[in-house]
mmCIF file of all heavy atoms in Angstrom:
data_model
loop_
_atom_site.group_PDB
_atom_site.id
_atom_site.type_symbol
_atom_site.label_atom_id
_atom_site.label_comp_id
_atom_site.label_asym_id
_atom_site.label_seq_id
_atom_site.Cartn_x
_atom_site.Cartn_y
_atom_site.Cartn_z
ATOM 1 N N ALA A 1 0.826 -1.206 0.000
ATOM 2 C CA ALA A 1 0.000 0.000 0.000
ATOM 3 C C ALA A 1 0.862 1.260 0.000
ATOM 4 O O ALA A 1 0.509 2.264 -0.621
ATOM 5 C CB ALA A 1 -0.930 -0.007 1.209
ATOM 6 N N ILE A 2 1.990 1.205 0.658
ATOM 7 C CA ILE A 2 2.866 2.370 0.768
ATOM 8 C C ILE A 2 3.663 2.591 -0.516
ATOM 9 O O ILE A 2 3.854 3.732 -0.941
ATOM 10 C CB ILE A 2 3.846 2.191 1.951
ATOM 11 C CG1 ILE A 2 3.082 2.111 3.270
ATOM 12 C CG2 ILE A 2 4.879 3.307 1.998
ATOM 13 C CD1 ILE A 2 3.921 1.631 4.448
ATOM 14 N N MET A 3 4.113 1.516 -1.160
ATOM 15 C CA MET A 3 5.133 1.641 -2.200
ATOM 16 C C MET A 3 4.711 1.330 -3.632
ATOM 17 O O MET A 3 5.361 1.778 -4.566
ATOM 18 C CB MET A 3 6.303 0.715 -1.851
ATOM 19 C CG MET A 3 6.981 1.049 -0.552
ATOM 20 S SD MET A 3 8.305 -0.119 -0.181
ATOM 21 C CE MET A 3 9.352 0.082 -1.596
ATOM 22 N N THR A 4 3.670 0.544 -3.837
ATOM 23 C CA THR A 4 3.399 0.022 -5.178
ATOM 24 C C THR A 4 3.191 1.109 -6.213
ATOM 25 O O THR A 4 3.740 1.036 -7.314
ATOM 26 C CB THR A 4 2.203 -0.955 -5.166
ATOM 27 O OG1 THR A 4 2.540 -2.040 -4.290
ATOM 28 C CG2 THR A 4 1.919 -1.504 -6.550
ATOM 29 N N LYS A 5 2.419 2.156 -5.911
ATOM 30 C CA LYS A 5 2.181 3.208 -6.905
ATOM 31 C C LYS A 5 3.489 3.877 -7.307
ATOM 32 O O LYS A 5 3.752 4.083 -8.489
ATOM 33 C CB LYS A 5 1.188 4.234 -6.394
ATOM 34 C CG LYS A 5 0.926 5.333 -7.449
ATOM 35 C CD LYS A 5 -0.088 6.325 -7.005
ATOM 36 C CE LYS A 5 -0.378 7.429 -7.982
ATOM 37 N NZ LYS A 5 0.457 7.636 -9.113
ATOM 38 N N PHE A 6 4.318 4.206 -6.332
ATOM 39 C CA PHE A 6 5.592 4.855 -6.637
ATOM 40 C C PHE A 6 6.457 3.966 -7.527
ATOM 41 O O PHE A 6 6.992 4.418 -8.543
ATOM 42 C CB PHE A 6 6.353 5.194 -5.342
ATOM 43 C CG PHE A 6 7.726 5.742 -5.585
ATOM 44 C CD1 PHE A 6 7.903 7.075 -5.922
ATOM 45 C CD2 PHE A 6 8.849 4.927 -5.502
ATOM 46 C CE1 PHE A 6 9.169 7.590 -6.170
ATOM 47 C CE2 PHE A 6 10.112 5.422 -5.735
ATOM 48 C CZ PHE A 6 10.282 6.764 -6.073
ATOM 49 N N VAL A 7 6.577 2.692 -7.178
ATOM 50 C CA VAL A 7 7.414 1.770 -7.950
ATOM 51 C C VAL A 7 6.836 1.582 -9.353
ATOM 52 O O VAL A 7 7.566 1.643 -10.346
ATOM 53 C CB VAL A 7 7.563 0.419 -7.220
ATOM 54 C CG1 VAL A 7 8.317 -0.588 -8.072
ATOM 55 C CG2 VAL A 7 8.275 0.627 -5.892
ATOM 56 N N HIS A 8 5.542 1.391 -9.451
ATOM 57 C CA HIS A 8 4.888 1.262 -10.756
ATOM 58 C C HIS A 8 5.183 2.487 -11.615
ATOM 59 O O HIS A 8 5.530 2.365 -12.796
ATOM 60 C CB HIS A 8 3.383 1.089 -10.580
ATOM 61 C CG HIS A 8 2.627 1.150 -11.864
ATOM 62 N ND1 HIS A 8 2.130 2.339 -12.370
ATOM 63 C CD2 HIS A 8 2.300 0.193 -12.754
ATOM 64 C CE1 HIS A 8 1.529 2.100 -13.521
ATOM 65 N NE2 HIS A 8 1.615 0.803 -13.776
ATOM 66 N N ASP A 9 5.046 3.688 -11.052
ATOM 67 C CA ASP A 9 5.281 4.925 -11.800
ATOM 68 C C ASP A 9 6.738 5.057 -12.232
ATOM 69 O O ASP A 9 7.021 5.548 -13.331
ATOM 70 C CB ASP A 9 4.853 6.136 -10.975
ATOM 71 C CG ASP A 9 3.345 6.212 -10.774
ATOM 72 O OD1 ASP A 9 2.605 5.437 -11.433
ATOM 73 O OD2 ASP A 9 2.907 7.041 -9.948
ATOM 74 N N GLU A 10 7.679 4.626 -11.398
ATOM 75 C CA GLU A 10 9.104 4.680 -11.769
ATOM 76 C C GLU A 10 9.380 3.759 -12.958
ATOM 77 O O GLU A 10 10.100 4.123 -13.880
ATOM 78 C CB GLU A 10 9.992 4.300 -10.582
ATOM 79 C CG GLU A 10 10.024 5.332 -9.482
ATOM 80 C CD GLU A 10 10.602 6.660 -9.945
ATOM 81 O OE1 GLU A 10 11.814 6.715 -10.219
ATOM 82 O OE2 GLU A 10 9.833 7.636 -10.026
ATOM 83 N N VAL A 11 8.799 2.557 -12.931
ATOM 84 C CA VAL A 11 8.980 1.613 -14.038
ATOM 85 C C VAL A 11 8.303 2.154 -15.295
ATOM 86 O O VAL A 11 8.893 2.161 -16.381
ATOM 87 C CB VAL A 11 8.435 0.212 -13.662
ATOM 88 C CG1 VAL A 11 8.410 -0.703 -14.883
ATOM 89 C CG2 VAL A 11 9.278 -0.404 -12.551
ATOM 90 N N ALA A 12 7.078 2.645 -15.163
ATOM 91 C CA ALA A 12 6.329 3.169 -16.314
ATOM 92 C C ALA A 12 7.034 4.366 -16.952
ATOM 93 O O ALA A 12 6.987 4.542 -18.170
ATOM 94 C CB ALA A 12 4.913 3.555 -15.887
ATOM 95 N N ALA A 13 7.711 5.177 -16.143
ATOM 96 C CA ALA A 13 8.420 6.350 -16.653
ATOM 97 C C ALA A 13 9.777 5.988 -17.260
ATOM 98 O O ALA A 13 10.463 6.856 -17.793
ATOM 99 C CB ALA A 13 8.601 7.372 -15.532
ATOM 100 N N GLY A 14 10.167 4.731 -17.166
ATOM 101 C CA GLY A 14 11.437 4.304 -17.747
ATOM 102 C C GLY A 14 12.647 4.582 -16.880
ATOM 103 O O GLY A 14 13.777 4.483 -17.349
ATOM 104 N N ARG A 15 12.440 4.943 -15.623
ATOM 105 C CA ARG A 15 13.578 5.214 -14.734
ATOM 106 C C ARG A 15 14.132 3.948 -14.101
ATOM 107 O O ARG A 15 15.146 3.987 -13.405
ATOM 108 C CB ARG A 15 13.162 6.214 -13.662
ATOM 109 C CG ARG A 15 12.953 7.620 -14.226
ATOM 110 C CD ARG A 15 12.691 8.626 -13.134
ATOM 111 N NE ARG A 15 11.343 8.549 -12.616
ATOM 112 C CZ ARG A 15 10.300 9.220 -13.106
ATOM 113 N NH1 ARG A 15 10.462 10.006 -14.156
ATOM 114 N NH2 ARG A 15 9.109 9.103 -12.550
ATOM 115 N N CYS A 16 13.444 2.834 -14.349
ATOM 116 C CA CYS A 16 13.882 1.541 -13.825
ATOM 117 C C CYS A 16 13.778 0.513 -14.937
ATOM 118 O O CYS A 16 12.912 0.614 -15.803
ATOM 119 C CB CYS A 16 12.964 1.081 -12.689
ATOM 120 S SG CYS A 16 12.978 2.160 -11.270
ATOM 121 N N ALA A 17 14.629 -0.461 -14.853
ATOM 122 C CA ALA A 17 14.526 -1.564 -15.807
ATOM 123 C C ALA A 17 13.265 -2.350 -15.468
ATOM 124 O O ALA A 17 13.070 -2.755 -14.329
ATOM 125 C CB ALA A 17 15.754 -2.460 -15.702
ATOM 126 N N ALA A 18 12.409 -2.528 -16.457
ATOM 127 C CA ALA A 18 11.152 -3.244 -16.217
ATOM 128 C C ALA A 18 11.411 -4.743 -16.195
ATOM 129 O O ALA A 18 11.919 -5.297 -17.165
ATOM 130 C CB ALA A 18 10.142 -2.901 -17.299
ATOM 131 N N PRO A 19 11.071 -5.402 -15.107
ATOM 132 C CA PRO A 19 11.227 -6.855 -15.075
ATOM 133 C C PRO A 19 10.195 -7.499 -16.002
ATOM 134 O O PRO A 19 9.142 -6.925 -16.268
ATOM 135 C CB PRO A 19 10.956 -7.210 -13.619
ATOM 136 C CG PRO A 19 10.214 -6.058 -13.049
ATOM 137 C CD PRO A 19 10.556 -4.851 -13.864
ATOM 138 N N ALA A 20 10.504 -8.674 -16.477
ATOM 139 C CA ALA A 20 9.571 -9.393 -17.350
ATOM 140 C C ALA A 20 8.352 -9.814 -16.544
ATOM 141 O O ALA A 20 8.491 -10.396 -15.471
ATOM 142 C CB ALA A 20 10.251 -10.609 -17.954
ATOM 143 N N PRO A 21 7.158 -9.515 -17.063
ATOM 144 C CA PRO A 21 5.949 -9.931 -16.345
ATOM 145 C C PRO A 21 5.824 -11.452 -16.296
ATOM 146 O O PRO A 21 6.253 -12.151 -17.203
ATOM 147 C CB PRO A 21 4.814 -9.342 -17.184
ATOM 148 C CG PRO A 21 5.445 -8.299 -18.033
ATOM 149 C CD PRO A 21 6.863 -8.722 -18.237
ATOM 150 N N VAL A 22 5.238 -11.941 -15.214
ATOM 151 C CA VAL A 22 4.952 -13.364 -15.044
ATOM 152 C C VAL A 22 3.447 -13.479 -14.825
ATOM 153 O O VAL A 22 2.909 -12.852 -13.906
ATOM 154 C CB VAL A 22 5.731 -13.948 -13.841
ATOM 155 C CG1 VAL A 22 5.329 -15.395 -13.603
ATOM 156 C CG2 VAL A 22 7.224 -13.811 -14.047
ATOM 157 N N ASP A 23 2.792 -14.242 -15.682
ATOM 158 C CA ASP A 23 1.336 -14.382 -15.624
ATOM 159 C C ASP A 23 0.636 -13.027 -15.663
ATOM 160 O O ASP A 23 -0.352 -12.789 -14.972
ATOM 161 C CB ASP A 23 0.901 -15.160 -14.373
ATOM 162 C CG ASP A 23 1.403 -16.593 -14.379
ATOM 163 O OD1 ASP A 23 1.557 -17.166 -15.479
ATOM 164 O OD2 ASP A 23 1.652 -17.136 -13.285
ATOM 165 N N GLY A 24 1.192 -12.098 -16.448
ATOM 166 C CA GLY A 24 0.587 -10.783 -16.601
ATOM 167 C C GLY A 24 0.876 -9.809 -15.479
ATOM 168 O O GLY A 24 0.452 -8.661 -15.519
ATOM 169 N N LYS A 25 1.608 -10.227 -14.464
ATOM 170 C CA LYS A 25 1.914 -9.357 -13.323
ATOM 171 C C LYS A 25 3.394 -9.010 -13.315
ATOM 172 O O LYS A 25 4.231 -9.816 -13.692
ATOM 173 C CB LYS A 25 1.522 -10.021 -12.011
ATOM 174 C CG LYS A 25 0.021 -10.245 -11.905
ATOM 175 C CD LYS A 25 -0.333 -10.754 -10.532
ATOM 176 C CE LYS A 25 -1.818 -10.983 -10.473
ATOM 177 N NZ LYS A 25 -2.480 -10.113 -9.554
ATOM 178 N N THR A 26 3.671 -7.797 -12.877
ATOM 179 C CA THR A 26 5.051 -7.339 -12.744
ATOM 180 C C THR A 26 5.419 -7.392 -11.272
ATOM 181 O O THR A 26 4.616 -7.034 -10.408
ATOM 182 C CB THR A 26 5.191 -5.906 -13.278
ATOM 183 O OG1 THR A 26 4.791 -5.887 -14.646
ATOM 184 C CG2 THR A 26 6.625 -5.416 -13.171
ATOM 185 N N SER A 27 6.633 -7.827 -10.982
ATOM 186 C CA SER A 27 7.076 -7.957 -9.603
ATOM 187 C C SER A 27 8.503 -7.434 -9.461
ATOM 188 O O SER A 27 9.357 -7.726 -10.298
ATOM 189 C CB SER A 27 7.010 -9.427 -9.173
ATOM 190 O OG SER A 27 7.359 -9.552 -7.821
ATOM 191 N N ILE A 28 8.724 -6.667 -8.426
ATOM 192 C CA ILE A 28 10.063 -6.152 -8.108
ATOM 193 C C ILE A 28 10.354 -6.476 -6.653
ATOM 194 O O ILE A 28 9.515 -6.243 -5.774
ATOM 195 C CB ILE A 28 10.165 -4.633 -8.342
ATOM 196 C CG1 ILE A 28 10.146 -4.330 -9.835
ATOM 197 C CG2 ILE A 28 11.413 -4.070 -7.687
ATOM 198 C CD1 ILE A 28 10.336 -2.874 -10.171
ATOM 199 N N LYS A 29 11.540 -7.007 -6.405
ATOM 200 C CA LYS A 29 11.975 -7.309 -5.039
ATOM 201 C C LYS A 29 13.211 -6.485 -4.723
ATOM 202 O O LYS A 29 14.145 -6.426 -5.516
ATOM 203 C CB LYS A 29 12.284 -8.796 -4.879
ATOM 204 C CG LYS A 29 12.695 -9.150 -3.464
ATOM 205 C CD LYS A 29 12.896 -10.625 -3.270
ATOM 206 C CE LYS A 29 13.224 -10.888 -1.813
ATOM 207 N NZ LYS A 29 13.495 -12.272 -1.547
ATOM 208 N N VAL A 30 13.195 -5.857 -3.560
ATOM 209 C CA VAL A 30 14.356 -5.111 -3.081
ATOM 210 C C VAL A 30 14.823 -5.788 -1.796
ATOM 211 O O VAL A 30 14.133 -5.749 -0.782
ATOM 212 C CB VAL A 30 14.021 -3.630 -2.803
ATOM 213 C CG1 VAL A 30 15.278 -2.886 -2.346
ATOM 214 C CG2 VAL A 30 13.416 -2.963 -4.026
ATOM 215 N N ASP A 31 15.985 -6.452 -1.857
ATOM 216 C CA ASP A 31 16.607 -7.036 -0.668
ATOM 217 C C ASP A 31 17.442 -5.971 0.011
ATOM 218 O O ASP A 31 18.024 -5.101 -0.653
ATOM 219 C CB ASP A 31 17.514 -8.207 -1.046
ATOM 220 C CG ASP A 31 16.748 -9.475 -1.313
ATOM 221 O OD1 ASP A 31 15.810 -9.771 -0.556
ATOM 222 O OD2 ASP A 31 17.084 -10.166 -2.287
ATOM 223 N N MET A 32 17.517 -6.055 1.337
ATOM 224 C CA MET A 32 18.297 -5.095 2.110
ATOM 225 C C MET A 32 18.962 -5.780 3.290
ATOM 226 O O MET A 32 18.480 -6.817 3.751
ATOM 227 C CB MET A 32 17.382 -4.001 2.666
ATOM 228 C CG MET A 32 16.806 -3.080 1.643
ATOM 229 S SD MET A 32 15.493 -2.084 2.358
ATOM 230 C CE MET A 32 14.092 -2.902 1.621
ATOM 231 N N VAL A 33 20.032 -5.182 3.758
ATOM 232 C CA VAL A 33 20.615 -5.563 5.038
ATOM 233 C C VAL A 33 20.489 -4.362 5.962
ATOM 234 O O VAL A 33 20.554 -3.210 5.528
ATOM 235 C CB VAL A 33 22.076 -6.044 4.931
ATOM 236 C CG1 VAL A 33 22.146 -7.394 4.247
ATOM 237 C CG2 VAL A 33 22.957 -5.034 4.245
ATOM 238 N N VAL A 34 20.274 -4.663 7.239
ATOM 239 C CA VAL A 34 20.026 -3.632 8.240
ATOM 240 C C VAL A 34 20.990 -3.859 9.399
ATOM 241 O O VAL A 34 21.060 -4.966 9.942
ATOM 242 C CB VAL A 34 18.568 -3.709 8.751
ATOM 243 C CG1 VAL A 34 18.312 -2.654 9.806
ATOM 244 C CG2 VAL A 34 17.582 -3.591 7.594
ATOM 245 N N LEU A 35 21.718 -2.820 9.760
ATOM 246 C CA LEU A 35 22.613 -2.883 10.918
ATOM 247 C C LEU A 35 21.836 -2.390 12.134
ATOM 248 O O LEU A 35 21.347 -1.252 12.151
ATOM 249 C CB LEU A 35 23.858 -2.017 10.695
ATOM 250 C CG LEU A 35 24.888 -2.005 11.827
ATOM 251 C CD1 LEU A 35 25.470 -3.397 12.059
ATOM 252 C CD2 LEU A 35 25.994 -1.000 11.522
ATOM 253 N N VAL A 36 21.686 -3.266 13.135
ATOM 254 C CA VAL A 36 20.950 -2.933 14.352
ATOM 255 C C VAL A 36 21.945 -2.697 15.476
ATOM 256 O O VAL A 36 22.843 -3.519 15.714
ATOM 257 C CB VAL A 36 19.947 -4.052 14.715
ATOM 258 C CG1 VAL A 36 19.247 -3.745 16.045
ATOM 259 C CG2 VAL A 36 18.922 -4.220 13.604
ATOM 260 N N SER A 37 21.773 -1.588 16.173
ATOM 261 C CA SER A 37 22.660 -1.182 17.251
ATOM 262 C C SER A 37 22.393 -1.969 18.525
ATOM 263 O O SER A 37 21.243 -2.143 18.930
ATOM 264 C CB SER A 37 22.460 0.314 17.535
ATOM 265 O OG SER A 37 23.073 0.686 18.739
ATOM 266 N N ALA A 38 23.465 -2.420 19.155
ATOM 267 C CA ALA A 38 23.342 -3.086 20.447
ATOM 268 C C ALA A 38 22.983 -2.077 21.532
ATOM 269 O O ALA A 38 22.326 -2.412 22.510
ATOM 270 C CB ALA A 38 24.652 -3.791 20.799
ATOM 271 N N ALA A 39 23.377 -0.835 21.335
ATOM 272 C CA ALA A 39 23.145 0.190 22.352
ATOM 273 C C ALA A 39 21.669 0.493 22.558
ATOM 274 O O ALA A 39 21.214 0.677 23.685
ATOM 275 C CB ALA A 39 23.894 1.473 21.980
ATOM 276 N N ASN A 40 20.904 0.544 21.453
ATOM 277 C CA ASN A 40 19.499 0.933 21.597
ATOM 278 C C ASN A 40 18.520 0.067 20.804
ATOM 279 O O ASN A 40 17.320 0.320 20.813
ATOM 280 C CB ASN A 40 19.316 2.403 21.228
ATOM 281 C CG ASN A 40 19.707 2.696 19.796
ATOM 282 O OD1 ASN A 40 19.904 1.795 18.984
ATOM 283 N ND2 ASN A 40 19.829 3.964 19.478
ATOM 284 N N GLY A 41 19.020 -0.935 20.100
ATOM 285 C CA GLY A 41 18.142 -1.821 19.351
ATOM 286 C C GLY A 41 17.510 -1.196 18.127
ATOM 287 O O GLY A 41 16.531 -1.706 17.607
ATOM 288 N N GLU A 42 18.065 -0.107 17.644
ATOM 289 C CA GLU A 42 17.512 0.600 16.486
ATOM 290 C C GLU A 42 18.344 0.330 15.234
ATOM 291 O O GLU A 42 19.533 0.035 15.315
ATOM 292 C CB GLU A 42 17.467 2.106 16.742
ATOM 293 C CG GLU A 42 16.477 2.523 17.819
ATOM 294 C CD GLU A 42 15.021 2.318 17.423
ATOM 295 O OE1 GLU A 42 14.696 2.398 16.214
ATOM 296 O OE2 GLU A 42 14.206 2.072 18.324
ATOM 297 N N ALA A 43 17.699 0.464 14.087
ATOM 298 C CA ALA A 43 18.393 0.331 12.806
ATOM 299 C C ALA A 43 19.247 1.571 12.604
ATOM 300 O O ALA A 43 18.740 2.691 12.631
ATOM 301 C CB ALA A 43 17.386 0.194 11.669
ATOM 302 N N VAL A 44 20.549 1.364 12.429
ATOM 303 C CA VAL A 44 21.457 2.501 12.258
ATOM 304 C C VAL A 44 21.992 2.616 10.837
ATOM 305 O O VAL A 44 22.553 3.647 10.468
ATOM 306 C CB VAL A 44 22.626 2.463 13.273
ATOM 307 C CG1 VAL A 44 22.101 2.659 14.684
ATOM 308 C CG2 VAL A 44 23.426 1.185 13.165
ATOM 309 N N LYS A 45 21.816 1.563 10.046
ATOM 310 C CA LYS A 45 22.285 1.602 8.660
ATOM 311 C C LYS A 45 21.461 0.599 7.860
ATOM 312 O O LYS A 45 21.236 -0.526 8.309
ATOM 313 C CB LYS A 45 23.771 1.246 8.585
ATOM 314 C CG LYS A 45 24.401 1.415 7.234
ATOM 315 C CD LYS A 45 25.911 1.180 7.324
ATOM 316 C CE LYS A 45 26.597 1.541 6.038
ATOM 317 N NZ LYS A 45 28.053 1.392 6.138
ATOM 318 N N ILE A 46 21.015 1.015 6.673
ATOM 319 C CA ILE A 46 20.276 0.130 5.782
ATOM 320 C C ILE A 46 20.907 0.229 4.399
ATOM 321 O O ILE A 46 21.122 1.324 3.892
ATOM 322 C CB ILE A 46 18.783 0.502 5.708
ATOM 323 C CG1 ILE A 46 18.151 0.355 7.090
ATOM 324 C CG2 ILE A 46 18.059 -0.351 4.677
ATOM 325 C CD1 ILE A 46 16.692 0.716 7.147
ATOM 326 N N VAL A 47 21.209 -0.927 3.825
ATOM 327 C CA VAL A 47 21.833 -0.975 2.512
ATOM 328 C C VAL A 47 20.982 -1.853 1.596
ATOM 329 O O VAL A 47 20.863 -3.055 1.830
ATOM 330 C CB VAL A 47 23.269 -1.537 2.594
ATOM 331 C CG1 VAL A 47 23.910 -1.592 1.210
ATOM 332 C CG2 VAL A 47 24.113 -0.715 3.557
#
């Protein structure tokens, strides 16, 4: 709900490589790593 419109618009505008649709649907996955601080349990870096 938060991201799909933005991602769809980026792909439609040609700012992203469009993945090949599967069964008529387009799917994009963004993997990330998150560094969590021992001091406060918060995310301090996301890549």
Side-chain angles (χ1 to χ4, degrees):
I2 297 167
M3 298 178 59
T4 300
K5 181 177 179 348
F6 174 80
V7 175
H8 172 270
D9 292 350
E10 289 298 291
V11 171
R15 289 186 283 271
C16 297
V22 175
D23 296 330
K25 296 187 181 245
T26 301
S27 184
I28 289 184
K29 182 175 183 183
V30 182
D31 281 318
M32 291 168 254
V33 290
V34 179
L35 181 62
V36 176
S37 167
N40 61 13
E42 292 292 330
V44 294
K45 187 174 188 177
I46 298 179
V47 180

